[in-house]
Amino acid sequence: MCASCPSSFPAPGSKADLEEGSALTPRFGADGLVTCVTTDAATGELLMVAHMNAEALAKTLETGEAWYWSRSRGELWHKGATSGQIQTIVEIRVDCDQDALWLKVNVAGDGGCCHTGRRSCFYRKVESTGGTPSLVQE
Amino acid sequence: MCASCPSSFPAPGSKADLEEGSALTPRFGADGLVTCVTTDAATGELLMVAHMNAEALAKTLETGEAWYWSRSRGELWHKGATSGQIQTIVEIRVDCDQDALWLKVNVAGDGGCCHTGRRSCFYRKVESTGGTPSLVQE
């Protein structure tokens, strides 16, 4: 996060403004991030959950492509810049209290999203047998 | 979060274990939480984004109903306990690095999810005209 960068977005207002207003005033957390859920615009499939700081969100709105903040690398992340899996924005939605965003995207390149090579990051189901959860790949 | 409660889940292992293993070892953040994305099992609609601590996840697995950690109230939250909008789990998935969960649920009561009365928390679209984003309800 660029802690010294001024945010491109107005500060959040009252609960009523947040929930019913027409201004995008994201509630970035103490870490400067909002949660971002990304789905395939065509199929509705959940592809990934990532995070955005103000700069990533501003760049996403400006370019029409998904930019995130990589928490592991500590840097701005233009998704697909190296893999070719560019995510073109079809629609962005925000939740009631403006601390989460929903991106509907078209994925370029091989259509994948997960760094493990899968299309979606959610390739494992949690199964609970006899009280012990385990993960099953499908 | 119950900071003194022992987690019901094994500690996360190596990157390979996290990504390809069959053990559910959630990577709770510094705040003790993982992100949870909840969709309608029948329609695929994104209903809400919330958070779970270890206790909420354990209760969800144990009861087959969604429990979250309410960050605003600072307490365990059995979704629907007062509103009737109980979320019955159809499937739980986990992402590659096990810091996000995906719940597919059936919603009881009036089928709603958002505290504002809407079915989904994502009732506003971000529109960007002339460089200024604004929110549009649909």
PDB file of all heavy atoms in Angstrom, chain A residues 18-20 22 71 92-93 96 99 115 118 121-124 126 135 138, chain B residues 18-20 22 71 92-93 96 99 115 118 121-124 126 135 138:
ATOM      1  N   LEU A  18     -23.464   5.473   3.320  1.00  0.00           N
ATOM      2  CA  LEU A  18     -22.785   4.265   2.849  1.00  0.00           C
ATOM      3  C   LEU A  18     -23.762   3.313   2.165  1.00  0.00           C
ATOM      4  O   LEU A  18     -23.470   2.761   1.109  1.00  0.00           O
ATOM      5  CB  LEU A  18     -22.138   3.515   4.027  1.00  0.00           C
ATOM      6  CG  LEU A  18     -20.762   3.981   4.474  1.00  0.00           C
ATOM      7  CD1 LEU A  18     -20.395   3.304   5.782  1.00  0.00           C
ATOM      8  CD2 LEU A  18     -19.713   3.674   3.403  1.00  0.00           C
ATOM      9  N   GLU A  19     -24.923   3.140   2.796  1.00  0.00           N
ATOM     10  CA  GLU A  19     -25.850   2.107   2.334  1.00  0.00           C
ATOM     11  C   GLU A  19     -26.776   2.557   1.215  1.00  0.00           C
ATOM     12  O   GLU A  19     -27.167   1.753   0.374  1.00  0.00           O
ATOM     13  CB  GLU A  19     -26.709   1.618   3.509  1.00  0.00           C
ATOM     14  CG  GLU A  19     -25.895   0.879   4.554  1.00  0.00           C
ATOM     15  CD  GLU A  19     -26.706   0.449   5.766  1.00  0.00           C
ATOM     16  OE1 GLU A  19     -27.911   0.781   5.840  1.00  0.00           O
ATOM     17  OE2 GLU A  19     -26.126  -0.212   6.643  1.00  0.00           O
ATOM     18  N   GLU A  20     -27.141   3.851   1.233  1.00  0.00           N
ATOM     19  CA  GLU A  20     -28.154   4.296   0.269  1.00  0.00           C
ATOM     20  C   GLU A  20     -27.666   5.418  -0.648  1.00  0.00           C
ATOM     21  O   GLU A  20     -28.370   5.803  -1.575  1.00  0.00           O
ATOM     22  CB  GLU A  20     -29.425   4.761   1.008  1.00  0.00           C
ATOM     23  CG  GLU A  20     -30.014   3.731   1.972  1.00  0.00           C
ATOM     24  CD  GLU A  20     -30.482   2.443   1.282  1.00  0.00           C
ATOM     25  OE1 GLU A  20     -30.777   2.488   0.072  1.00  0.00           O
ATOM     26  OE2 GLU A  20     -30.531   1.392   1.950  1.00  0.00           O
ATOM     27  N   SER A  22     -25.170   7.553  -3.389  1.00  0.00           N
ATOM     28  CA  SER A  22     -24.709   7.233  -4.741  1.00  0.00           C
ATOM     29  C   SER A  22     -23.207   7.490  -4.902  1.00  0.00           C
ATOM     30  O   SER A  22     -22.674   7.417  -5.999  1.00  0.00           O
ATOM     31  CB  SER A  22     -25.489   8.044  -5.768  1.00  0.00           C
ATOM     32  OG  SER A  22     -25.279   9.422  -5.537  1.00  0.00           O
ATOM     33  N   ARG A  71      -0.930  -8.914  -1.308  1.00  0.00           N
ATOM     34  CA  ARG A  71      -0.484  -8.886   0.092  1.00  0.00           C
ATOM     35  C   ARG A  71       0.808  -9.683   0.274  1.00  0.00           C
ATOM     36  O   ARG A  71       1.661  -9.328   1.076  1.00  0.00           O
ATOM     37  CB  ARG A  71      -1.577  -9.448   1.009  1.00  0.00           C
ATOM     38  CG  ARG A  71      -2.840  -8.581   1.009  1.00  0.00           C
ATOM     39  CD  ARG A  71      -3.818  -9.006   2.090  1.00  0.00           C
ATOM     40  NE  ARG A  71      -4.230 -10.393   1.916  1.00  0.00           N
ATOM     41  CZ  ARG A  71      -5.064 -11.033   2.712  1.00  0.00           C
ATOM     42  NH1 ARG A  71      -5.583 -10.415   3.760  1.00  0.00           N
ATOM     43  NH2 ARG A  71      -5.405 -12.281   2.492  1.00  0.00           N
ATOM     44  N   ILE A  92     -18.747  -3.775 -12.004  1.00  0.00           N
ATOM     45  CA  ILE A  92     -18.282  -3.729 -10.620  1.00  0.00           C
ATOM     46  C   ILE A  92     -19.479  -3.402  -9.732  1.00  0.00           C
ATOM     47  O   ILE A  92     -20.255  -2.496 -10.048  1.00  0.00           O
ATOM     48  CB  ILE A  92     -17.198  -2.658 -10.400  1.00  0.00           C
ATOM     49  CG1 ILE A  92     -16.010  -2.886 -11.343  1.00  0.00           C
ATOM     50  CG2 ILE A  92     -16.720  -2.653  -8.942  1.00  0.00           C
ATOM     51  CD1 ILE A  92     -14.875  -1.879 -11.154  1.00  0.00           C
ATOM     52  N   ARG A  93     -19.624  -4.145  -8.658  1.00  0.00           N
ATOM     53  CA  ARG A  93     -20.674  -3.852  -7.680  1.00  0.00           C
ATOM     54  C   ARG A  93     -20.018  -3.673  -6.311  1.00  0.00           C
ATOM     55  O   ARG A  93     -18.903  -4.133  -6.077  1.00  0.00           O
ATOM     56  CB  ARG A  93     -21.703  -4.988  -7.631  1.00  0.00           C
ATOM     57  CG  ARG A  93     -22.364  -5.252  -8.987  1.00  0.00           C
ATOM     58  CD  ARG A  93     -23.470  -6.282  -8.909  1.00  0.00           C
ATOM     59  NE  ARG A  93     -24.706  -5.713  -8.435  1.00  0.00           N
ATOM     60  CZ  ARG A  93     -25.662  -5.171  -9.209  1.00  0.00           C
ATOM     61  NH1 ARG A  93     -25.527  -5.164 -10.512  1.00  0.00           N
ATOM     62  NH2 ARG A  93     -26.743  -4.668  -8.674  1.00  0.00           N
ATOM     63  N   CYS A  96     -23.275  -3.409   0.799  1.00  0.00           N
ATOM     64  CA  CYS A  96     -24.033  -2.439   1.580  1.00  0.00           C
ATOM     65  C   CYS A  96     -23.142  -1.477   2.365  1.00  0.00           C
ATOM     66  O   CYS A  96     -23.377  -0.278   2.360  1.00  0.00           O
ATOM     67  CB  CYS A  96     -25.010  -3.157   2.523  1.00  0.00           C
ATOM     68  SG  CYS A  96     -24.286  -4.543   3.435  1.00  0.00           S
ATOM     69  N   ASP A  99     -17.354  -2.242   2.094  1.00  0.00           N
ATOM     70  CA  ASP A  99     -16.032  -2.795   2.395  1.00  0.00           C
ATOM     71  C   ASP A  99     -15.715  -4.023   1.553  1.00  0.00           C
ATOM     72  O   ASP A  99     -14.737  -4.733   1.816  1.00  0.00           O
ATOM     73  CB  ASP A  99     -15.850  -3.084   3.891  1.00  0.00           C
ATOM     74  CG  ASP A  99     -16.740  -4.209   4.379  1.00  0.00           C
ATOM     75  OD1 ASP A  99     -17.586  -4.696   3.597  1.00  0.00           O
ATOM     76  OD2 ASP A  99     -16.588  -4.609   5.546  1.00  0.00           O
ATOM     77  N   HIS A 115      -2.938 -19.212  -9.691  1.00  0.00           N
ATOM     78  CA  HIS A 115      -1.510 -19.384  -9.957  1.00  0.00           C
ATOM     79  C   HIS A 115      -1.102 -20.863  -9.980  1.00  0.00           C
ATOM     80  O   HIS A 115      -0.019 -21.201 -10.432  1.00  0.00           O
ATOM     81  CB  HIS A 115      -0.675 -18.626  -8.911  1.00  0.00           C
ATOM     82  CG  HIS A 115      -0.663 -19.309  -7.583  1.00  0.00           C
ATOM     83  ND1 HIS A 115      -1.744 -19.300  -6.733  1.00  0.00           N
ATOM     84  CD2 HIS A 115       0.281 -20.057  -6.964  1.00  0.00           C
ATOM     85  CE1 HIS A 115      -1.451 -20.000  -5.646  1.00  0.00           C
ATOM     86  NE2 HIS A 115      -0.234 -20.465  -5.755  1.00  0.00           N
ATOM     87  N   ARG A 118      -5.121 -23.781 -12.238  1.00  0.00           N
ATOM     88  CA  ARG A 118      -6.565 -24.028 -12.383  1.00  0.00           C
ATOM     89  C   ARG A 118      -7.273 -22.760 -12.858  1.00  0.00           C
ATOM     90  O   ARG A 118      -6.791 -21.659 -12.685  1.00  0.00           O
ATOM     91  CB  ARG A 118      -7.186 -24.435 -11.056  1.00  0.00           C
ATOM     92  CG  ARG A 118      -7.002 -25.896 -10.708  1.00  0.00           C
ATOM     93  CD  ARG A 118      -5.784 -26.092  -9.886  1.00  0.00           C
ATOM     94  NE  ARG A 118      -5.733 -27.399  -9.255  1.00  0.00           N
ATOM     95  CZ  ARG A 118      -4.755 -27.770  -8.428  1.00  0.00           C
ATOM     96  NH1 ARG A 118      -3.748 -26.948  -8.164  1.00  0.00           N
ATOM     97  NH2 ARG A 118      -4.772 -28.973  -7.890  1.00  0.00           N
ATOM     98  N   CYS A 121      -9.588 -20.440  -8.245  1.00  0.00           N
ATOM     99  CA  CYS A 121      -8.820 -20.758  -7.030  1.00  0.00           C
ATOM    100  C   CYS A 121      -9.578 -21.708  -6.100  1.00  0.00           C
ATOM    101  O   CYS A 121      -8.993 -22.305  -5.207  1.00  0.00           O
ATOM    102  CB  CYS A 121      -8.507 -19.474  -6.266  1.00  0.00           C
ATOM    103  SG  CYS A 121      -7.378 -18.372  -7.155  1.00  0.00           S
ATOM    104  N   PHE A 122     -10.882 -21.854  -6.336  1.00  0.00           N
ATOM    105  CA  PHE A 122     -11.706 -22.665  -5.424  1.00  0.00           C
ATOM    106  C   PHE A 122     -11.900 -24.073  -5.974  1.00  0.00           C
ATOM    107  O   PHE A 122     -13.013 -24.500  -6.254  1.00  0.00           O
ATOM    108  CB  PHE A 122     -13.043 -21.963  -5.165  1.00  0.00           C
ATOM    109  CG  PHE A 122     -12.898 -20.720  -4.338  1.00  0.00           C
ATOM    110  CD1 PHE A 122     -12.580 -19.499  -4.929  1.00  0.00           C
ATOM    111  CD2 PHE A 122     -13.031 -20.762  -2.955  1.00  0.00           C
ATOM    112  CE1 PHE A 122     -12.419 -18.349  -4.172  1.00  0.00           C
ATOM    113  CE2 PHE A 122     -12.877 -19.614  -2.186  1.00  0.00           C
ATOM    114  CZ  PHE A 122     -12.570 -18.402  -2.793  1.00  0.00           C
ATOM    115  N   TYR A 123     -10.798 -24.812  -6.125  1.00  0.00           N
ATOM    116  CA  TYR A 123     -10.832 -26.127  -6.777  1.00  0.00           C
ATOM    117  C   TYR A 123     -11.004 -27.270  -5.789  1.00  0.00           C
ATOM    118  O   TYR A 123     -10.986 -28.426  -6.177  1.00  0.00           O
ATOM    119  CB  TYR A 123      -9.570 -26.331  -7.631  1.00  0.00           C
ATOM    120  CG  TYR A 123      -8.264 -26.024  -6.910  1.00  0.00           C
ATOM    121  CD1 TYR A 123      -7.620 -26.988  -6.153  1.00  0.00           C
ATOM    122  CD2 TYR A 123      -7.696 -24.751  -6.985  1.00  0.00           C
ATOM    123  CE1 TYR A 123      -6.433 -26.697  -5.498  1.00  0.00           C
ATOM    124  CE2 TYR A 123      -6.517 -24.445  -6.323  1.00  0.00           C
ATOM    125  CZ  TYR A 123      -5.889 -25.422  -5.581  1.00  0.00           C
ATOM    126  OH  TYR A 123      -4.723 -25.125  -4.922  1.00  0.00           O
ATOM    127  N   ARG A 124     -11.174 -26.932  -4.505  1.00  0.00           N
ATOM    128  CA  ARG A 124     -11.349 -27.985  -3.505  1.00  0.00           C
ATOM    129  C   ARG A 124     -12.589 -27.782  -2.660  1.00  0.00           C
ATOM    130  O   ARG A 124     -12.867 -26.680  -2.195  1.00  0.00           O
ATOM    131  CB  ARG A 124     -10.120 -28.057  -2.580  1.00  0.00           C
ATOM    132  CG  ARG A 124      -8.919 -28.652  -3.265  1.00  0.00           C
ATOM    133  CD  ARG A 124      -7.688 -28.522  -2.402  1.00  0.00           C
ATOM    134  NE  ARG A 124      -7.401 -27.117  -2.102  1.00  0.00           N
ATOM    135  CZ  ARG A 124      -6.355 -26.711  -1.396  1.00  0.00           C
ATOM    136  NH1 ARG A 124      -5.515 -27.586  -0.898  1.00  0.00           N
ATOM    137  NH2 ARG A 124      -6.161 -25.429  -1.189  1.00  0.00           N
ATOM    138  N   VAL A 126     -14.760 -28.795   0.742  1.00  0.00           N
ATOM    139  CA  VAL A 126     -14.564 -29.255   2.118  1.00  0.00           C
ATOM    140  C   VAL A 126     -15.592 -30.346   2.410  1.00  0.00           C
ATOM    141  O   VAL A 126     -16.789 -30.106   2.301  1.00  0.00           O
ATOM    142  CB  VAL A 126     -14.747 -28.098   3.126  1.00  0.00           C
ATOM    143  CG1 VAL A 126     -14.551 -28.608   4.550  1.00  0.00           C
ATOM    144  CG2 VAL A 126     -13.789 -26.954   2.814  1.00  0.00           C
ATOM    145  N   LEU A 135     -10.271 -32.051   2.420  1.00  0.00           N
ATOM    146  CA  LEU A 135     -10.435 -31.362   1.143  1.00  0.00           C
ATOM    147  C   LEU A 135     -10.413 -32.345  -0.006  1.00  0.00           C
ATOM    148  O   LEU A 135      -9.559 -33.239  -0.058  1.00  0.00           O
ATOM    149  CB  LEU A 135      -9.305 -30.341   0.958  1.00  0.00           C
ATOM    150  CG  LEU A 135      -9.170 -29.306   2.076  1.00  0.00           C
ATOM    151  CD1 LEU A 135      -8.064 -28.318   1.747  1.00  0.00           C
ATOM    152  CD2 LEU A 135     -10.485 -28.582   2.303  1.00  0.00           C
ATOM    153  N   GLU A 138     -11.798 -31.631  -7.314  1.00  0.00           N
ATOM    154  CA  GLU A 138     -12.747 -32.109  -8.336  1.00  0.00           C
ATOM    155  C   GLU A 138     -12.290 -31.673  -9.694  1.00  0.00           C
ATOM    156  O   GLU A 138     -11.841 -30.568  -9.878  1.00  0.00           O
ATOM    157  CB  GLU A 138     -14.115 -31.523  -8.063  1.00  0.00           C
ATOM    158  CG  GLU A 138     -14.725 -32.036  -6.799  1.00  0.00           C
ATOM    159  CD  GLU A 138     -16.141 -31.496  -6.625  1.00  0.00           C
ATOM    160  OE1 GLU A 138     -16.315 -30.281  -6.780  1.00  0.00           O
ATOM    161  OE2 GLU A 138     -17.049 -32.285  -6.360  1.00  0.00           O
TER     162      GLU A 138
ATOM    163  N   LEU B  18      -0.675 -26.513   1.631  1.00  0.00           N
ATOM    164  CA  LEU B  18      -1.824 -25.613   1.550  1.00  0.00           C
ATOM    165  C   LEU B  18      -2.565 -25.773   0.231  1.00  0.00           C
ATOM    166  O   LEU B  18      -3.788 -25.838   0.194  1.00  0.00           O
ATOM    167  CB  LEU B  18      -1.366 -24.149   1.663  1.00  0.00           C
ATOM    168  CG  LEU B  18      -1.162 -23.580   3.057  1.00  0.00           C
ATOM    169  CD1 LEU B  18      -0.489 -22.229   2.968  1.00  0.00           C
ATOM    170  CD2 LEU B  18      -2.498 -23.452   3.791  1.00  0.00           C
ATOM    171  N   GLU B  19      -1.798 -25.854  -0.844  1.00  0.00           N
ATOM    172  CA  GLU B  19      -2.398 -25.818  -2.185  1.00  0.00           C
ATOM    173  C   GLU B  19      -2.862 -27.186  -2.703  1.00  0.00           C
ATOM    174  O   GLU B  19      -3.828 -27.261  -3.455  1.00  0.00           O
ATOM    175  CB  GLU B  19      -1.394 -25.236  -3.187  1.00  0.00           C
ATOM    176  CG  GLU B  19      -1.084 -23.770  -2.935  1.00  0.00           C
ATOM    177  CD  GLU B  19      -0.029 -23.203  -3.869  1.00  0.00           C
ATOM    178  OE1 GLU B  19       0.527 -23.967  -4.698  1.00  0.00           O
ATOM    179  OE2 GLU B  19       0.251 -22.002  -3.772  1.00  0.00           O
ATOM    180  N   GLU B  20      -2.143 -28.234  -2.301  1.00  0.00           N
ATOM    181  CA  GLU B  20      -2.455 -29.545  -2.888  1.00  0.00           C
ATOM    182  C   GLU B  20      -2.844 -30.592  -1.855  1.00  0.00           C
ATOM    183  O   GLU B  20      -3.227 -31.707  -2.214  1.00  0.00           O
ATOM    184  CB  GLU B  20      -1.250 -30.055  -3.710  1.00  0.00           C
ATOM    185  CG  GLU B  20      -0.749 -29.090  -4.792  1.00  0.00           C
ATOM    186  CD  GLU B  20      -1.792 -28.792  -5.870  1.00  0.00           C
ATOM    187  OE1 GLU B  20      -2.704 -29.608  -6.085  1.00  0.00           O
ATOM    188  OE2 GLU B  20      -1.705 -27.701  -6.488  1.00  0.00           O
ATOM    189  N   SER B  22      -4.846 -32.411   1.472  1.00  0.00           N
ATOM    190  CA  SER B  22      -6.252 -32.715   1.715  1.00  0.00           C
ATOM    191  C   SER B  22      -6.692 -32.287   3.114  1.00  0.00           C
ATOM    192  O   SER B  22      -7.804 -32.596   3.539  1.00  0.00           O
ATOM    193  CB  SER B  22      -6.507 -34.205   1.521  1.00  0.00           C
ATOM    194  OG  SER B  22      -5.728 -34.945   2.440  1.00  0.00           O
ATOM    195  N   ARG B  71     -17.636  -8.507  12.745  1.00  0.00           N
ATOM    196  CA  ARG B  71     -16.584  -7.563  13.109  1.00  0.00           C
ATOM    197  C   ARG B  71     -17.174  -6.309  13.751  1.00  0.00           C
ATOM    198  O   ARG B  71     -16.577  -5.729  14.647  1.00  0.00           O
ATOM    199  CB  ARG B  71     -15.758  -7.185  11.866  1.00  0.00           C
ATOM    200  CG  ARG B  71     -14.997  -8.377  11.288  1.00  0.00           C
ATOM    201  CD  ARG B  71     -14.036  -7.954  10.205  1.00  0.00           C
ATOM    202  NE  ARG B  71     -14.707  -7.266   9.117  1.00  0.00           N
ATOM    203  CZ  ARG B  71     -14.092  -6.756   8.058  1.00  0.00           C
ATOM    204  NH1 ARG B  71     -12.784  -6.843   7.951  1.00  0.00           N
ATOM    205  NH2 ARG B  71     -14.772  -6.161   7.089  1.00  0.00           N
ATOM    206  N   ILE B  92     -19.164 -26.257   0.846  1.00  0.00           N
ATOM    207  CA  ILE B  92     -18.117 -25.304   1.229  1.00  0.00           C
ATOM    208  C   ILE B  92     -16.883 -25.603   0.392  1.00  0.00           C
ATOM    209  O   ILE B  92     -16.496 -26.764   0.232  1.00  0.00           O
ATOM    210  CB  ILE B  92     -17.736 -25.417   2.727  1.00  0.00           C
ATOM    211  CG1 ILE B  92     -18.973 -25.218   3.610  1.00  0.00           C
ATOM    212  CG2 ILE B  92     -16.652 -24.401   3.092  1.00  0.00           C
ATOM    213  CD1 ILE B  92     -18.674 -25.272   5.104  1.00  0.00           C
ATOM    214  N   ARG B  93     -16.281 -24.570  -0.163  1.00  0.00           N
ATOM    215  CA  ARG B  93     -15.031 -24.712  -0.904  1.00  0.00           C
ATOM    216  C   ARG B  93     -13.984 -23.796  -0.275  1.00  0.00           C
ATOM    217  O   ARG B  93     -14.313 -22.825   0.404  1.00  0.00           O
ATOM    218  CB  ARG B  93     -15.230 -24.371  -2.378  1.00  0.00           C
ATOM    219  CG  ARG B  93     -16.303 -25.233  -3.057  1.00  0.00           C
ATOM    220  CD  ARG B  93     -16.405 -24.982  -4.543  1.00  0.00           C
ATOM    221  NE  ARG B  93     -15.399 -25.701  -5.272  1.00  0.00           N
ATOM    222  CZ  ARG B  93     -15.551 -26.930  -5.767  1.00  0.00           C
ATOM    223  NH1 ARG B  93     -16.684 -27.575  -5.624  1.00  0.00           N
ATOM    224  NH2 ARG B  93     -14.570 -27.525  -6.415  1.00  0.00           N
ATOM    225  N   CYS B  96      -6.978 -21.621  -3.004  1.00  0.00           N
ATOM    226  CA  CYS B  96      -5.649 -22.224  -3.118  1.00  0.00           C
ATOM    227  C   CYS B  96      -4.801 -22.053  -1.864  1.00  0.00           C
ATOM    228  O   CYS B  96      -4.188 -23.019  -1.391  1.00  0.00           O
ATOM    229  CB  CYS B  96      -4.918 -21.673  -4.343  1.00  0.00           C
ATOM    230  SG  CYS B  96      -5.012 -19.872  -4.534  1.00  0.00           S
ATOM    231  N   ASP B  99      -7.030 -18.963   2.555  1.00  0.00           N
ATOM    232  CA  ASP B  99      -7.409 -17.803   3.369  1.00  0.00           C
ATOM    233  C   ASP B  99      -8.778 -17.261   2.977  1.00  0.00           C
ATOM    234  O   ASP B  99      -9.170 -16.170   3.401  1.00  0.00           O
ATOM    235  CB  ASP B  99      -6.347 -16.699   3.339  1.00  0.00           C
ATOM    236  CG  ASP B  99      -6.202 -16.064   1.967  1.00  0.00           C
ATOM    237  OD1 ASP B  99      -6.829 -16.547   1.005  1.00  0.00           O
ATOM    238  OD2 ASP B  99      -5.448 -15.076   1.849  1.00  0.00           O
ATOM    239  N   HIS B 115     -28.904  -6.852   5.630  1.00  0.00           N
ATOM    240  CA  HIS B 115     -29.607  -6.209   6.743  1.00  0.00           C
ATOM    241  C   HIS B 115     -30.433  -5.007   6.286  1.00  0.00           C
ATOM    242  O   HIS B 115     -31.278  -4.509   7.022  1.00  0.00           O
ATOM    243  CB  HIS B 115     -28.616  -5.774   7.824  1.00  0.00           C
ATOM    244  CG  HIS B 115     -27.817  -4.569   7.443  1.00  0.00           C
ATOM    245  ND1 HIS B 115     -26.788  -4.610   6.530  1.00  0.00           N
ATOM    246  CD2 HIS B 115     -27.930  -3.274   7.807  1.00  0.00           C
ATOM    247  CE1 HIS B 115     -26.297  -3.392   6.384  1.00  0.00           C
ATOM    248  NE2 HIS B 115     -26.962  -2.562   7.143  1.00  0.00           N
ATOM    249  N   ARG B 118     -32.544  -6.070   1.365  1.00  0.00           N
ATOM    250  CA  ARG B 118     -32.374  -6.655   0.031  1.00  0.00           C
ATOM    251  C   ARG B 118     -31.983  -8.128   0.139  1.00  0.00           C
ATOM    252  O   ARG B 118     -31.465  -8.573   1.146  1.00  0.00           O
ATOM    253  CB  ARG B 118     -31.275  -5.941  -0.749  1.00  0.00           C
ATOM    254  CG  ARG B 118     -31.710  -4.638  -1.392  1.00  0.00           C
ATOM    255  CD  ARG B 118     -31.434  -3.485  -0.511  1.00  0.00           C
ATOM    256  NE  ARG B 118     -31.560  -2.200  -1.198  1.00  0.00           N
ATOM    257  CZ  ARG B 118     -31.311  -1.043  -0.600  1.00  0.00           C
ATOM    258  NH1 ARG B 118     -30.949  -0.994   0.675  1.00  0.00           N
ATOM    259  NH2 ARG B 118     -31.445   0.079  -1.268  1.00  0.00           N
ATOM    260  N   CYS B 121     -26.370  -8.308  -0.639  1.00  0.00           N
ATOM    261  CA  CYS B 121     -25.721  -7.067  -0.191  1.00  0.00           C
ATOM    262  C   CYS B 121     -25.172  -6.255  -1.366  1.00  0.00           C
ATOM    263  O   CYS B 121     -24.869  -5.076  -1.214  1.00  0.00           O
ATOM    264  CB  CYS B 121     -24.566  -7.399   0.760  1.00  0.00           C
ATOM    265  SG  CYS B 121     -25.123  -8.109   2.322  1.00  0.00           S
ATOM    266  N   PHE B 122     -25.071  -6.879  -2.531  1.00  0.00           N
ATOM    267  CA  PHE B 122     -24.449  -6.201  -3.675  1.00  0.00           C
ATOM    268  C   PHE B 122     -25.524  -5.616  -4.594  1.00  0.00           C
ATOM    269  O   PHE B 122     -25.656  -6.009  -5.746  1.00  0.00           O
ATOM    270  CB  PHE B 122     -23.532  -7.173  -4.421  1.00  0.00           C
ATOM    271  CG  PHE B 122     -22.301  -7.514  -3.630  1.00  0.00           C
ATOM    272  CD1 PHE B 122     -22.321  -8.538  -2.697  1.00  0.00           C
ATOM    273  CD2 PHE B 122     -21.125  -6.795  -3.804  1.00  0.00           C
ATOM    274  CE1 PHE B 122     -21.186  -8.842  -1.947  1.00  0.00           C
ATOM    275  CE2 PHE B 122     -19.990  -7.091  -3.065  1.00  0.00           C
ATOM    276  CZ  PHE B 122     -20.018  -8.117  -2.129  1.00  0.00           C
ATOM    277  N   TYR B 123     -26.294  -4.668  -4.076  1.00  0.00           N
ATOM    278  CA  TYR B 123     -27.439  -4.119  -4.805  1.00  0.00           C
ATOM    279  C   TYR B 123     -27.100  -2.861  -5.589  1.00  0.00           C
ATOM    280  O   TYR B 123     -27.976  -2.255  -6.187  1.00  0.00           O
ATOM    281  CB  TYR B 123     -28.612  -3.850  -3.841  1.00  0.00           C
ATOM    282  CG  TYR B 123     -28.238  -3.072  -2.604  1.00  0.00           C
ATOM    283  CD1 TYR B 123     -28.218  -1.686  -2.610  1.00  0.00           C
ATOM    284  CD2 TYR B 123     -27.877  -3.723  -1.438  1.00  0.00           C
ATOM    285  CE1 TYR B 123     -27.859  -0.969  -1.484  1.00  0.00           C
ATOM    286  CE2 TYR B 123     -27.517  -3.028  -0.296  1.00  0.00           C
ATOM    287  CZ  TYR B 123     -27.500  -1.645  -0.318  1.00  0.00           C
ATOM    288  OH  TYR B 123     -27.128  -0.945   0.795  1.00  0.00           O
ATOM    289  N   ARG B 124     -25.818  -2.473  -5.582  1.00  0.00           N
ATOM    290  CA  ARG B 124     -25.433  -1.272  -6.327  1.00  0.00           C
ATOM    291  C   ARG B 124     -24.280  -1.536  -7.276  1.00  0.00           C
ATOM    292  O   ARG B 124     -23.291  -2.185  -6.938  1.00  0.00           O
ATOM    293  CB  ARG B 124     -25.042  -0.146  -5.355  1.00  0.00           C
ATOM    294  CG  ARG B 124     -26.235   0.451  -4.655  1.00  0.00           C
ATOM    295  CD  ARG B 124     -25.799   1.402  -3.571  1.00  0.00           C
ATOM    296  NE  ARG B 124     -24.986   0.710  -2.566  1.00  0.00           N
ATOM    297  CZ  ARG B 124     -24.489   1.292  -1.485  1.00  0.00           C
ATOM    298  NH1 ARG B 124     -24.708   2.578  -1.269  1.00  0.00           N
ATOM    299  NH2 ARG B 124     -23.769   0.598  -0.627  1.00  0.00           N
ATOM    300  N   VAL B 126     -21.266   0.006  -9.714  1.00  0.00           N
ATOM    301  CA  VAL B 126     -20.382   1.170  -9.830  1.00  0.00           C
ATOM    302  C   VAL B 126     -20.355   1.609 -11.284  1.00  0.00           C
ATOM    303  O   VAL B 126     -20.000   0.816 -12.165  1.00  0.00           O
ATOM    304  CB  VAL B 126     -18.945   0.833  -9.373  1.00  0.00           C
ATOM    305  CG1 VAL B 126     -18.038   2.058  -9.511  1.00  0.00           C
ATOM    306  CG2 VAL B 126     -18.936   0.321  -7.936  1.00  0.00           C
ATOM    307  N   LEU B 135     -22.666   5.279  -7.751  1.00  0.00           N
ATOM    308  CA  LEU B 135     -23.369   4.030  -7.481  1.00  0.00           C
ATOM    309  C   LEU B 135     -24.799   4.103  -7.986  1.00  0.00           C
ATOM    310  O   LEU B 135     -25.495   5.099  -7.752  1.00  0.00           O
ATOM    311  CB  LEU B 135     -23.369   3.739  -5.977  1.00  0.00           C
ATOM    312  CG  LEU B 135     -21.983   3.695  -5.328  1.00  0.00           C
ATOM    313  CD1 LEU B 135     -22.109   3.351  -3.858  1.00  0.00           C
ATOM    314  CD2 LEU B 135     -21.085   2.701  -6.041  1.00  0.00           C
ATOM    315  N   GLU B 138     -30.190  -1.011  -8.637  1.00  0.00           N
ATOM    316  CA  GLU B 138     -31.013  -1.678  -9.666  1.00  0.00           C
ATOM    317  C   GLU B 138     -32.059  -2.542  -9.017  1.00  0.00           C
ATOM    318  O   GLU B 138     -31.786  -3.205  -8.043  1.00  0.00           O
ATOM    319  CB  GLU B 138     -30.125  -2.571 -10.516  1.00  0.00           C
ATOM    320  CG  GLU B 138     -29.143  -1.792 -11.346  1.00  0.00           C
ATOM    321  CD  GLU B 138     -28.356  -2.736 -12.244  1.00  0.00           C
ATOM    322  OE1 GLU B 138     -27.850  -3.746 -11.737  1.00  0.00           O
ATOM    323  OE2 GLU B 138     -28.264  -2.451 -13.437  1.00  0.00           O
TER     324      GLU B 138
END
